Amino acid sequence: MAAATRETLALIDRLMLQMIAQQESKVLAMARAIHPGLTSEDIRNPNDFAELMASGEWNFEDGILSGLKSAHMALRAKLLESVD
């Protein structure tokens, strides 16, 4: 049963990483459309860029990214609990 759980963990982990990467690309592209030249590091501190903070659409998509990352960590923790 542990092998099935490990396979499930690996599958979920890959899926979540793909979803996160896709959302990161979307958020960065939106940020660059608002403020050209921004880097992925820049958008980790959006408070430094008033244009980003003023964009409801960008903040919504960034919130989705944060939620995906949180869900990924929670799933990893829960699944690792069941593997041990």
Side-chain angles (χ1 to χ4, degrees), residues 18 30 42-43 48-49 57 74 79:
Q18 289 171 356
M30 289 178 75
D42 290 333
I43 64 171
D48 294 342
F49 302 95
E57 185 178 10
L79 289 170

Side-chain angles (χ1 to χ4, degrees), residues 16-67:
M16 292 300 297
L17 288 172
Q18 289 171 356
M19 292 171 64
I20 289 167
Q22 181 179 354
Q23 190 66 17
E24 283 175 334
S25 294
K26 182 177 185 176
V27 168
L28 181 58
M30 289 178 75
R32 286 179 174 162
I34 295 167
H35 187 105
L38 289 179
T39 66
S40 56
E41 183 65 32
D42 290 333
I43 64 171
R44 289 190 184 123
N45 299 301
N47 293 336
D48 294 342
F49 302 95
E51 303 96 330
L52 290 183
M53 297 308 298
S55 172
E57 185 178 10
W58 184 85
N59 279 283
F60 176 80
E61 295 297 338
D62 189 49
I64 290 173
L65 177 57
S66 295

Side-chain angles (χ1 to χ4, degrees), residues 1-11 80 83-84:
M1 186 67 175
T5 304
R6 289 177 197 275
E7 289 172 19
T8 300
L9 170 61
L11 179 63
L80 285 173
V83 171
D84 291 340

